Amino acid sequence: MTIEMANRLTALRKEHSLSQEQLAEKIGVSRQAVSKWERAEASPDIENLSALAKLYGVTIDVLVNGEEETETVSDTEEPESGFDGNSYTDDGGNAADGFDRRHSIHIEDGDDVVHVGFDGIYVGGKHGEHVSIGKDGVYVSDSVKEERHWKPSDRMSVGASIAADFPMFIVVLGAYLLTGFLCDAWAVNWLLFLIIPVYDTIISAVKQKRPSVVVFPVCIITAYLCAGLASGLWHPLWIMLLAIPCCEGLITAIRRRNANHFPYPVLVSAAYLVMGFGYDLWHPGWIVFFSIPIYYWIVSSVKKVMRK
């Protein structure tokens, strides 16, 4: 991997206002991998290159070899304008080219163009400034070539970031204390704290654009509530809630191809609690905790062998 390509990857990441950790999360790799790419110590494989190209809206060739060559326009050529449904391009001065005129309104007044249709909305002026609204977002360019682009996902990302900073724990704690002191509901109002992992999971799903992330935690919590109400065995059935981080960690480990992301200590703790509460094997059940360093030693050894 050349230093030019590494610099190109760094520049594209910064242009999209992403940290190394945010980029790693979006394409499913570790932050260390991104750091190595940008230091030219390693090269992304074809799958990662494809993911980077899709994220940045460029081709793989641009990532590897640099900017694509564009044709220069001579001073005698007319300004171009046109619309292909998602982006607006010039087309030899013929403003109608590229527009879908079916079931649309298209008005031309000299160099000014207004188009409203199912393919989007475009308003262009004689000095080259234009505004376009399509399924890929809002694109604005003024007469001095200042360009801005808003994608539909931008608002969702901002909203998710704001929601992630919301002090849900404080709200739940306040509700717990309030219902406890006013209604003397200490025996059941502790269930309010289950709102916190559900809320965090929903925020994570919105950020990652993966609604499926919410399904498993909601199913586990629902199963716990049903089992608790039916049997009254809130304890030790709460142990089943530990399946939530285990499942999420397993999915993350598979996606990032890194077993270190699997929360093996949580799994061991759950197994120990089951042996203790279910079979009164607190001793010698504690021996299972010795498997934790062995697990990470095996993972580390396998990674070293695969690198060779």
Side-chain angles (χ1 to χ4, degrees), residues 20-292:
Q20 289 184 344
E21 185 173 355
Q22 290 172 328
L23 175 60
E25 183 177 351
K26 284 181 177 292
I27 64 175
V29 299
S30 65
R31 186 195 64 78
Q32 290 79 5
V34 175
S35 178
K36 288 182 178 181
W37 297 343
E38 296 184 356
R39 295 198 304 267
E41 295 179 359
S43 298
D45 58 25
I46 187 64
E47 181 180 350
N48 290 326
L49 282 174
S50 178
L52 288 168
K54 183 177 180 181
L55 177 64
Y56 294 145
V58 299
T59 63
I60 294 178
D61 186 61
V62 170
L63 292 178
V64 177
N65 301 317
E67 293 294 335
E68 295 177 331
E69 294 184 359
T70 56
E71 296 181 2
T72 57
V73 180
S74 64
D75 295 337
T76 59
E77 292 182 358
E78 293 292 328
E80 306 171 344
S81 76
F83 176 60
D84 62 6
N86 299 325
S87 60
Y88 297 86
T89 59
D90 294 334
D91 216 300
N94 187 353
D97 289 348
F99 291 102
D100 184 359
R101 290 173 174 266
R102 296 170 296 177
H103 311 294
S104 65
I105 300 174
H106 187 90
I107 302 173
E108 296 181 48
D109 183 9
D111 293 326
D112 297 327
V113 180
V114 176
H115 177 84
V116 180
F118 290 115
D119 50 352
I121 300 174
Y122 174 77
V123 179
K126 62 182 179 180
H127 298 296
E129 65 277 11
H130 64 263
V131 177
S132 60
I133 304 175
K135 66 179 183 180
D136 289 339
V138 180
Y139 184 86
V140 179
S141 179
D142 61 24
S143 57
V144 294
K145 304 300 182 184
E146 293 182 0
E147 299 177 349
R148 289 165 289 177
H149 188 202
W150 293 274
K151 297 180 180 179
S153 58
D154 292 344
R155 180 177 297 179
M156 182 179 294
S157 299
V158 173
S161 298
I162 294 174
D165 295 330
F166 182 73
M168 178 57 70
F169 175 77
I170 302 299
V171 173
V172 171
L173 180 61
Y176 170 71
L177 296 174
L178 190 64
T179 55
F181 287 121
L182 296 182
C183 306
D184 196 25
W186 302 106
V188 294
N189 66 350
W190 59 269
L191 294 172
L192 290 170
F193 287 99
L194 294 178
I195 295 174
I196 298 174
V198 173
Y199 179 80
D200 291 339
T201 303
I202 293 174
I203 296 301
S204 177
V206 172
K207 282 186 173 182
Q208 300 178 34
K209 300 178 184 177
R210 293 170 55 218
S212 59
V213 172
V214 184
V215 177
F216 185 75
V218 171
C219 289
I220 290 294
I221 292 174
T222 303
Y224 171 62
L225 294 175
C226 292
L229 292 172
S231 64
L233 296 175
W234 300 104
H235 170 73
L237 286 179
W238 59 267
I239 298 175
M240 64 191 301
L241 298 177
L242 296 178
I244 296 176
C246 288
C247 179
E248 292 182 349
L250 177 62
I251 294 173
T252 302
I254 294 174
R255 288 181 62 242
R256 299 189 178 182
R257 300 176 183 177
N258 188 345
N260 282 324
H261 289 287
F262 178 70
Y264 185 74
V266 177
L267 179 63
V268 171
S269 300
Y272 175 65
L273 291 172
V274 170
M275 288 189 294
F277 289 124
Y279 305 97
D280 199 26
L281 292 175
W282 300 106
H283 174 75
W286 54 268
I287 296 176
V288 297
F289 287 99
F290 285 107
S291 68
I292 296 177

